[in-house]
Amino acid sequence: MLHVELTIQGLINGSMYALMAVGLTLVYGLLRILHVAHAGLYTLGAYIAVLIANATGSLALGAAVAIPVVGLAGMIVYRLLYEPILHRPPYVALIASIGLFIVMEESYRLIFGPYGETFNAPYLAERVSVGPIGAKAAEVAMVAGAIVLLGVLAFLSKRTRFGIAWRATVTDPAMARAFGVDTIAVRYANFFIASALAASAAVLVAVLNNLVEPTMGSVPSYKTLAIIVLGGLGNVAGTLVAALALGVIEAFGTIYIGHLLDRDAIAFLFLVLVLMIRPQGLFAAR
Amino acid sequence: MLRLEAMSCGYGGMRAVEALDLDVNAGEIVALVGSNGAGKSSTLMATAGHVALQGGRILFDGADISRASPMARVAAGIALSPEGRRLFRDLSVRENLIVGGYVRDAAHQPGNMDTVLDLFPRLKERFESLAGTLSGGEQQMVAIGRALMSEPRLVLIDEVSLGLMPKMVDVCYRAIQALKARGLAVLLVEQSTARAFAVADRVVVLESGRAVWRGSAAEARGNSAVIDAYLGVAKVEGAA
């Protein structure tokens, strides 16, 4: 029974990692940018949700505003930060991204204070049980949210004309453009979707922990980078599997080797071990 | 339909094609032949808008499209099946065809797809396969089919037979002849002179970026010196 519970706990954490990391790998796949500031947008989503939920008493309204607003913020980050330096070597965008992430974290600290915000009334705190297995409603929402959002993303990318054009742009932007695909629109859509996914993850994590703080993006920032390397940079399906695998390995590792290593250290030990065996990641990079 | 007037193009400071004059009319196949580096592919790429013009003009239906973007040329009715095919390897055959027709209204998509599948029935069997997993011949079919999805009136096809089994080359050339029968203009680049002379109405031989011989396919077949020129063995007398 312990193993079942650990697996479920791992899948819950893995779902959050998946929502974050899929957005990150979408950006990498299209523009070859390691978008560290993604985690800053994640935190922004949590703050918008908690402030609106506390002001109006509606978490749904907070999420409904946070997700598209963060999507738009992602588009603005692309326009103002990345687009002017796309022709530069990739490390220039990486440095700019790290810089923006630091600025965002410090801004949250200055504006909202260092101690964080909590929801006036905790949401989804009740437990849901199926037979002997139980979980918080927020944890169930995390998994359900990941399944629905990533399902919608899969539908968009596989079954709509724009989604197919988007994937064509990832494969060969010049040819896609030649066939009439508006590759600039694809880039903006890419940032909107990636950032909206990060905001969705942030709202769910904020509800789960009942805490929103300036540094809540720090751990996800580097852990999701590890996940997209594991999944094969730019490989969405690989990233999904890597996110869930990391969640499960962390859950088991915390129990079995937690006395030796911290949870985050377990994640990076896993990354190091995988990369020693498969330098290209668990799946081929795109 | 297509007219190149003293068209020069190249890459940076390098000139790939020098003052080329060329016409391609509706219902006609024109073959460009020549040795490696003769400027054949560059001519196609410049016509499609992928290589910068360095001189002259490109006219399509009388309109100067020299400065038009590749997308605008596709919209005008020029489609390219490029060297190396450049398929979207992570997309299925169906998805490659959808991207090929992206410039047209979505309502045209089913009809255009049926046209392509009638031309290449083999693609029906591989419809949901990833393009990167197809054989060379199947990839060539997808590349030509993808070009046809944009409802072109002029099709530019590079290296039709390169690396393909003869049976697959036959399939591709039957399709090209079917395009001609429908009134489309075809400008193709071909390494195999036998294939080019068999299918083309007119032949233009390029050497070092210049047209060195031009004539009907029948004249080309009867003139072994053309083949020598193509192989780089000897120059053809009376070069254009």
Side-chain angles (χ1 to χ4, degrees):
Chain A
M1 187 51 70
L2 174 65
H3 288 175
V4 174
E5 284 179 0
L6 285 176
T7 304
I8 289 170
Q9 198 57 47
L11 292 176
I12 291 165
N13 287 337
S15 300
M16 188 276 281
Y17 295 152
L19 284 174
M20 273 289 282
V22 163
L24 202 61
T25 212
L26 287 176
V27 171
Y28 183 85
L30 190 64
L31 296 170
R32 296 293 182 265
I33 291 172
L34 285 172
H35 176 37
V36 177
H38 193 55
L41 292 165
Y42 161 87
T43 309
L44 176 65
Y47 268 109
I48 293 172
V50 74
L51 293 175
I52 291 179
N54 285 347
T56 64
S58 169
L59 174 65
L61 181 64
V65 173
I67 293 168
V69 166
V70 173
L72 290 173
M75 291 164 73
I76 292 169
V77 167
Y78 166 70
R79 175 66 188 88
L80 299 181
L81 186 73
Y82 296 131
E83 198 177 58
I85 54 174
L86 278 181
H87 59 289
R88 305 269 184 194
Y91 63 81
V92 175
L94 176 61
I95 293 167
S97 193
I98 292 169
L100 176 63
F101 180 45
I102 293 169
V103 167
M104 290 174 94
E105 274 200 342
E106 293 308 313
S107 300
Y108 300 141
R109 200 190 314 274
L110 287 171
I111 296 167
F112 303 113
Y115 302 114
E117 304 276 343
T118 56
F119 289 98
N120 291 343
Y123 294 95
L124 303 172
E126 62 275 22
R127 284 189 75 78
V128 179
S129 295
V130 179
I133 299 163
K136 284 185 196 169
E139 293 174 330
V140 176
M142 175 77 79
V143 176
I147 291 170
V148 169
L149 289 170
L150 295 176
V152 169
L153 180 67
F155 177 82
L156 280 175
S157 68
K158 288 273 187 187
R159 290 288 152 194
T160 67
R161 241 177 150 217
F162 185 79
I164 292 165
W166 172 18
R167 286 165 48 229
T169 306
V170 171
T171 307
D172 189 338
M175 280 307 285
R177 199 162 36 244
F179 283 111
V181 176
D182 183 347
T183 53
I184 305 296
V186 166
R187 287 176 183 172
Y188 280 107
N190 203 62
F191 268 88
F192 181 89
I193 291 168
S195 306
L197 286 176
S200 310
V203 172
L204 291 164
V205 168
V207 169
L208 192 59
N209 298 336
N210 195 15
L211 179 64
V212 177
E213 53 187 343
T215 55
M216 69 181 281
S218 297
V219 171
S221 72
Y222 57 78
K223 208 173 278 186
T224 47
L225 282 178
I227 289 167
I228 68 169
V229 172
L230 278 173
L233 284 163
N235 184 332
V236 175
T239 296
L240 199 55
V241 174
L244 296 175
L246 190 68
V248 172
I249 282 165
E250 276 186 355
F252 277 81
T254 307
I255 295 298
Y256 290 107
I257 54 172
H259 58 292
L260 296 172
L261 285 173
D262 158 75
R263 181 172 129 173
D264 298 332
I266 292 167
F268 282 89
L269 178 65
F270 177 57
L271 173 70
V272 169
L273 289 175
V274 170
L275 293 184
M276 282 172 70
I277 301 163
R278 281 183 64 84
Q280 70 274 40
L282 288 170
F283 304 92
R286 292 275 162 85
Chain B
M1 180 176 280
L2 175 72
R3 167 164 290 182
L4 308 184
E5 287 182 353
M7 191 276 285
S8 299
C9 66
Y11 309 84
M14 200 197 78
R15 186 60 65 94
V17 177
E18 184 70 48
L20 177 65
D21 292 312
L22 182 71
D23 285 298
V24 188
N25 301 310
E28 183 183 42
I29 300 176
V30 176
L32 289 176
V33 296
S35 56
N36 283 336
K40 311 181 297 292
S41 295
S42 299
T43 301
L44 293 198
M45 294 296 274
T47 305
H50 295 280
V51 171
L53 222 60
Q54 295 178 339
R57 295 198 304 168
I58 300 175
L59 304 174
F60 187 64
D61 282 345
D64 189 344
I65 58 162
S66 306
R67 294 180 183 279
S69 69
M71 188 181 119
R73 297 184 202 204
V74 174
I78 299 175
L80 171 70
S81 171
E83 185 179 17
R85 298 161 202 132
R86 285 183 67 178
L87 297 181
F88 302 109
R89 300 178 62 81
D90 298 328
L91 270 60
S92 68
V93 170
R94 177 180 63 83
E95 292 167 338
N96 267 276
L97 296 180
I98 287 171
V99 178
Y102 202 76
V103 79
R104 301 291 172 218
D105 195 289
H108 295 202
Q109 189 179 294
N112 290 336
M113 216 171 255
D114 287 344
T115 304
V116 171
L117 295 177
D118 286 344
L119 207 57
F120 299 114
R122 189 182 179 96
L123 294 184
K124 287 179 192 167
E125 299 161 28
R126 308 302 305 270
F127 205 46
E128 296 299 336
S129 303
L130 295 184
T133 66
L134 303 180
S135 71
E138 290 166 340
Q139 289 192 5
Q140 187 65 279
M141 292 177 205
V142 177
I144 296 172
R146 184 179 62 175
L148 297 177
M149 287 294 293
S150 64
E151 303 171 12
R153 287 175 296 126
L154 167 68
V155 189
L156 313 169
I157 309 177
D158 204 346
E159 300 290 13
V160 182
S161 67
L162 190 68
L164 304 188
M165 291 192 310
K167 194 176 155 190
M168 287 296 180
V169 179
D170 290 341
V171 172
C172 290
Y173 270 110
R174 272 201 298 275
I176 290 168
Q177 282 173 316
L179 300 182
K180 175 190 167 179
R182 289 176 198 175
L184 270 70
V186 180
L187 177 60
L188 61 88
V189 163
E190 180 52 90
Q191 288 280 350
S192 160
T193 49
R195 290 282 186 180
F197 297 169
V199 73
D201 297 296
R202 289 188 293 120
V203 175
V204 176
V205 180
L206 295 181
E207 275 290 333
S208 303
R210 293 177 180 276
V212 293
W213 191 91
R214 62 179 78 220
S216 70
E219 288 168 335
R221 280 192 293 271
N223 189 347
S224 61
V226 171
I227 297 172
D228 290 342
Y230 163 66
L231 293 172
V233 175
K235 287 281 182 192
V236 179
E237 290 182 11

Coordinates of all heavy atoms in Angstrom, one line a residue, chain A residues 157-162 164-165 167-169 171-182 286, chain B residues 50 70-71 74 80 82 86 88-91 94-95 98-106 109 146:
Chain A
S157 N -2.6 20.7 -31.0 CA -1.4 20.5 -31.8 C -1.6 19.4 -32.9 O -0.9 19.5 -33.9 CB -0.2 20.2 -31.0 OG -0.3 19.0 -30.4
K158 N -2.5 18.5 -32.6 CA -2.6 17.4 -33.5 C -3.8 17.5 -34.5 O -3.8 17.0 -35.6 CB -2.8 16.0 -32.8 CG -1.6 15.5 -32.1 CD -0.8 14.7 -33.0 CE 0.3 14.0 -32.3 NZ 1.2 13.3 -33.2
R159 N -4.8 18.2 -34.0 CA -6.1 18.2 -34.7 C -6.5 19.5 -35.3 O -7.6 19.5 -36.0 CB -7.2 17.6 -33.8 CG -7.1 16.2 -33.5 CD -7.4 15.3 -34.7 NE -6.7 14.0 -34.7 CZ -6.6 13.2 -35.7 NH1 -7.1 13.5 -36.9 NH2 -5.9 12.1 -35.6
T160 N -5.8 20.6 -35.1 CA -6.2 21.8 -35.7 C -5.2 22.3 -36.7 O -4.0 21.9 -36.6 CB -6.4 23.0 -34.6 OG1 -5.1 23.3 -34.1 CG2 -7.3 22.5 -33.5
R161 N -5.6 23.0 -37.7 CA -4.7 23.5 -38.7 C -3.6 24.3 -38.1 O -2.4 24.2 -38.5 CB -5.5 24.4 -39.7 CG -5.6 23.9 -41.1 CD -6.4 24.8 -41.9 NE -6.0 24.8 -43.3 CZ -5.9 25.8 -44.1 NH1 -6.3 27.0 -43.7 NH2 -5.5 25.7 -45.3
F162 N -4.0 25.2 -37.1 CA -2.9 26.1 -36.6 C -1.9 25.2 -35.8 O -0.7 25.5 -35.8 CB -3.6 27.1 -35.7 CG -2.6 28.1 -35.1 CD1 -2.1 29.2 -35.9 CD2 -2.1 28.0 -33.8 CE1 -1.2 30.0 -35.4 CE2 -1.1 28.9 -33.4 CZ -0.7 29.9 -34.2
I164 N -1.1 22.1 -36.3 CA -0.2 21.4 -37.2 C 0.9 22.4 -37.8 O 2.0 22.1 -37.9 CB -1.0 20.8 -38.3 CG1 -1.9 19.6 -37.7 CG2 -0.2 20.2 -39.4 CD1 -3.0 19.1 -38.6
A165 N 0.4 23.6 -38.1 CA 1.3 24.6 -38.6 C 2.4 25.0 -37.6 O 3.5 25.2 -37.9 CB 0.5 25.9 -39.0
R167 N 3.5 22.9 -35.3 CA 4.5 21.8 -35.2 C 5.4 21.9 -36.4 O 6.6 21.6 -36.4 CB 3.8 20.5 -35.0 CG 3.3 20.3 -33.6 CD 2.3 19.2 -33.5 NE 2.8 18.0 -34.1 CZ 2.0 17.3 -34.9 NH1 0.8 17.6 -35.2 NH2 2.5 16.2 -35.5
A168 N 4.9 22.3 -37.6 CA 5.7 22.4 -38.8 C 6.7 23.5 -38.6 O 7.9 23.4 -39.0 CB 4.8 22.7 -40.0
T169 N 6.4 24.6 -37.9 CA 7.3 25.7 -37.7 C 8.4 25.2 -36.8 O 9.6 25.6 -36.9 CB 6.5 26.9 -37.0 OG1 5.4 27.2 -37.8 CG2 7.4 28.1 -36.8
T171 N 9.7 22.3 -36.7 CA 10.5 21.4 -37.5 C 11.4 22.2 -38.5 O 12.6 21.9 -38.6 CB 9.7 20.4 -38.3 OG1 8.8 19.7 -37.4 CG2 10.5 19.3 -39.0
D172 N 10.8 23.1 -39.2 CA 11.5 23.8 -40.3 C 10.8 25.2 -40.5 O 9.9 25.3 -41.3 CB 11.5 23.0 -41.6 CG 12.4 23.6 -42.6 OD1 12.7 24.8 -42.6 OD2 12.8 22.9 -43.5
P173 N 11.2 26.2 -39.7 CA 10.5 27.5 -39.8 C 10.5 28.1 -41.2 O 9.5 28.7 -41.6 CB 11.3 28.4 -38.8 CG 12.1 27.5 -38.0 CD 12.3 26.2 -38.7
A174 N 11.6 28.0 -41.9 CA 11.7 28.6 -43.2 C 10.7 28.0 -44.2 O 10.0 28.7 -44.9 CB 13.1 28.6 -43.8
M175 N 10.6 26.7 -44.2 CA 9.7 26.0 -45.1 C 8.2 26.3 -44.6 O 7.3 26.5 -45.5 CB 9.9 24.5 -45.1 CG 11.0 24.0 -45.9 SD 11.0 24.6 -47.6 CE 9.7 23.6 -48.3
A176 N 8.0 26.3 -43.3 CA 6.6 26.6 -42.9 C 6.2 28.0 -43.3 O 5.1 28.2 -43.8 CB 6.6 26.5 -41.3
R177 N 7.1 28.9 -43.2 CA 6.8 30.3 -43.6 C 6.5 30.3 -45.1 O 5.6 31.0 -45.6 CB 8.0 31.2 -43.3 CG 7.7 32.7 -43.3 CD 8.7 33.5 -42.5 NE 10.1 33.1 -42.7 CZ 10.9 32.6 -41.7 NH1 10.4 32.5 -40.5 NH2 12.1 32.2 -42.0
A178 N 7.3 29.6 -45.9 CA 7.1 29.5 -47.3 C 5.8 29.0 -47.7 O 5.2 29.4 -48.8 CB 8.2 28.7 -48.0
F179 N 5.2 28.1 -46.9 CA 3.9 27.6 -47.2 C 2.7 28.5 -46.7 O 1.6 28.1 -46.7 CB 3.7 26.2 -46.7 CG 4.4 25.1 -47.5 CD1 5.6 24.5 -47.1 CD2 4.0 24.9 -48.8 CE1 6.2 23.6 -47.9 CE2 4.7 24.0 -49.6 CZ 5.8 23.3 -49.1
G180 N 3.1 29.6 -46.1 CA 2.1 30.6 -45.7 C 1.8 30.6 -44.2 O 0.8 31.2 -43.8
V181 N 2.6 29.8 -43.4 CA 2.3 29.8 -42.0 C 2.9 31.1 -41.4 O 4.0 31.5 -41.7 CB 3.0 28.6 -41.3 CG1 2.9 28.7 -39.8 CG2 2.5 27.3 -41.9
D182 N 2.1 31.8 -40.6 CA 2.5 33.1 -40.0 C 3.4 32.6 -38.8 O 2.9 32.4 -37.7 CB 1.3 33.9 -39.5 CG 1.7 35.2 -38.9 OD1 2.9 35.4 -38.6 OD2 0.8 36.1 -38.8
R286 N 14.7 17.0 -30.0 CA 14.2 17.4 -31.3 C 15.1 18.4 -31.9 O 15.5 19.3 -31.2 CB 12.8 17.9 -31.2 CG 11.8 16.8 -30.9 CD 11.3 16.1 -32.1 NE 10.7 14.8 -31.8 CZ 9.5 14.6 -31.5 NH1 8.7 15.6 -31.4 NH2 9.0 13.4 -31.3
Chain B
H50 N 13.5 31.9 -52.4 CA 14.3 31.5 -51.2 C 15.8 31.9 -51.4 O 16.6 31.8 -50.5 CB 14.2 30.0 -51.1 CG 12.9 29.5 -50.7 ND1 12.4 29.5 -49.4 CD2 11.9 28.9 -51.4 CE1 11.2 29.0 -49.3 NE2 10.9 28.7 -50.6
P70 N 8.5 34.5 -50.4 CA 8.1 33.1 -50.8 C 6.6 32.8 -50.6 O 6.0 32.2 -51.5 CB 9.0 32.2 -49.8 CG 10.1 33.1 -49.5 CD 9.6 34.5 -49.5
M71 N 6.1 33.3 -49.5 CA 4.6 33.0 -49.2 C 3.8 33.7 -50.3 O 2.8 33.1 -50.8 CB 4.3 33.6 -47.9 CG 2.9 33.2 -47.4 SD 2.6 33.9 -45.8 CE 1.2 35.0 -46.2
V74 N 3.8 31.6 -53.3 CA 2.9 30.4 -53.2 C 1.4 30.8 -53.4 O 0.7 30.2 -54.2 CB 3.1 29.8 -51.8 CG1 2.0 28.6 -51.6 CG2 4.5 29.2 -51.6
L80 N 6.9 24.9 -54.7 CA 8.2 24.3 -54.8 C 8.3 22.9 -54.1 O 7.8 22.8 -53.0 CB 9.3 25.2 -54.1 CG 10.7 24.7 -53.9 CD1 11.4 24.6 -55.3 CD2 11.5 25.6 -53.0
P82 N 11.4 21.1 -52.9 CA 12.8 21.5 -52.9 C 13.8 20.3 -52.9 O 13.4 19.1 -52.7 CB 12.9 22.3 -51.6 CG 11.9 21.7 -50.7 CD 10.8 21.2 -51.6
R86 N 12.9 18.3 -47.9 CA 12.6 19.2 -46.7 C 11.2 19.0 -46.2 O 10.5 19.9 -46.0 CB 12.9 20.6 -47.0 CG 14.4 20.9 -47.1 CD 14.8 22.3 -47.3 NE 14.4 23.2 -46.2 CZ 14.7 24.5 -46.1 NH1 15.3 25.1 -47.1 NH2 14.3 25.2 -45.1
F88 N 8.4 18.0 -43.4 CA 8.3 18.2 -41.9 C 8.4 16.8 -41.3 O 7.3 16.1 -41.3 CB 7.1 18.9 -41.5 CG 7.0 20.3 -42.2 CD1 6.1 20.5 -43.2 CD2 7.8 21.3 -41.8 CE1 6.0 21.8 -43.8 CE2 7.8 22.5 -42.4 CZ 6.9 22.8 -43.4
R89 N 9.5 16.3 -40.9 CA 9.8 14.9 -40.6 C 9.0 14.4 -39.4 O 8.6 13.2 -39.3 CB 11.3 14.7 -40.3 CG 12.2 15.0 -41.5 CD 13.6 14.8 -41.1 NE 13.9 13.4 -40.8 CZ 14.1 12.5 -41.7 NH1 14.1 12.8 -43.0 NH2 14.4 11.3 -41.4
D90 N 8.7 15.3 -38.5 CA 7.9 14.9 -37.3 C 6.4 15.0 -37.5 O 5.6 14.7 -36.5 CB 8.3 15.7 -36.1 CG 9.8 15.6 -35.7 OD1 10.3 14.5 -36.0 OD2 10.4 16.5 -35.3
L91 N 6.0 15.3 -38.7 CA 4.6 15.4 -39.0 C 4.2 14.2 -39.9 O 5.0 13.8 -40.7 CB 4.3 16.7 -39.7 CG 3.9 17.9 -38.8 CD1 5.0 18.3 -37.9 CD2 3.5 19.1 -39.7
R94 N -0.4 13.2 -43.7 CA -1.6 14.0 -43.7 C -1.3 15.5 -43.3 O -1.7 16.5 -43.9 CB -2.7 13.4 -42.8 CG -3.9 14.3 -42.6 CD -4.9 13.6 -41.7 NE -4.4 13.5 -40.3 CZ -4.5 14.5 -39.4 NH1 -5.0 15.6 -39.7 NH2 -4.0 14.3 -38.2
E95 N -0.5 15.6 -42.2 CA -0.2 16.9 -41.7 C 0.7 17.7 -42.6 O 0.6 18.9 -42.8 CB 0.5 16.7 -40.3 CG -0.5 16.2 -39.3 CD 0.1 15.7 -38.0 OE1 1.3 15.4 -38.0 OE2 -0.6 15.7 -37.0
I98 N -1.5 19.1 -45.1 CA -2.3 20.3 -44.6 C -1.4 21.5 -44.6 O -1.9 22.6 -45.0 CB -2.8 19.9 -43.2 CG1 -3.9 18.9 -43.3 CG2 -3.2 21.2 -42.4 CD1 -4.3 18.3 -41.9
V99 N -0.1 21.4 -44.2 CA 0.7 22.6 -44.2 C 0.9 23.1 -45.6 O 1.0 24.3 -45.9 CB 2.1 22.3 -43.5 CG1 3.0 23.5 -43.5 CG2 1.9 21.9 -42.0
G100 N 1.1 22.2 -46.5 CA 1.2 22.5 -47.9 C 0.1 23.4 -48.5 O 0.3 24.3 -49.3
G101 N -1.1 23.2 -47.9 CA -2.3 23.9 -48.4 C -2.6 25.1 -47.5 O -3.7 25.6 -47.6
Y102 N -1.7 25.4 -46.6 CA -2.1 26.4 -45.5 C -2.4 27.8 -46.1 O -3.2 28.5 -45.5 CB -0.9 26.6 -44.6 CG -1.2 27.1 -43.2 CD1 -1.9 26.3 -42.3 CD2 -1.0 28.4 -42.9 CE1 -2.2 26.8 -41.0 CE2 -1.3 28.9 -41.6 CZ -1.9 28.1 -40.7 OH -2.3 28.6 -39.5
V103 N -1.9 28.1 -47.3 CA -2.1 29.4 -47.8 C -3.5 29.5 -48.4 O -4.0 30.6 -48.7 CB -1.0 29.7 -48.9 CG1 -1.3 29.0 -50.2 CG2 -0.8 31.2 -49.1
R104 N -4.1 28.4 -48.6 CA -5.5 28.4 -49.2 C -6.5 28.2 -48.1 O -6.2 27.7 -47.0 CB -5.7 27.2 -50.2 CG -4.7 27.2 -51.4 CD -5.0 28.4 -52.3 NE -3.9 28.5 -53.3 CZ -3.4 29.7 -53.7 NH1 -3.9 30.8 -53.3 NH2 -2.5 29.7 -54.6
D105 N -7.8 28.5 -48.5 CA -8.9 28.4 -47.5 C -9.0 26.9 -47.1 O -8.8 26.0 -47.9 CB -10.2 28.9 -48.2 CG -11.3 29.1 -47.2 OD1 -11.8 28.1 -46.7 OD2 -11.6 30.2 -47.0
A106 N -9.3 26.7 -45.8 CA -9.4 25.4 -45.2 C -10.5 24.6 -46.0 O -10.4 23.3 -46.0 CB -9.7 25.4 -43.7
Q109 N -9.3 22.2 -48.6 CA -8.3 21.1 -48.1 C -8.7 19.7 -48.5 O -7.9 19.0 -49.1 CB -8.1 21.2 -46.6 CG -7.0 20.4 -46.0 CD -7.0 20.6 -44.6 OE1 -6.6 21.7 -44.1 NE2 -7.3 19.6 -43.8
R146 N 2.6 17.8 -51.4 CA 2.6 19.0 -50.5 C 2.6 20.3 -51.3 O 1.8 21.2 -51.1 CB 3.8 19.0 -49.5 CG 3.7 20.1 -48.5 CD 4.9 20.0 -47.6 NE 6.2 20.1 -48.3 CZ 7.4 20.2 -47.8 NH1 7.5 20.1 -46.4 NH2 8.5 20.3 -48.5

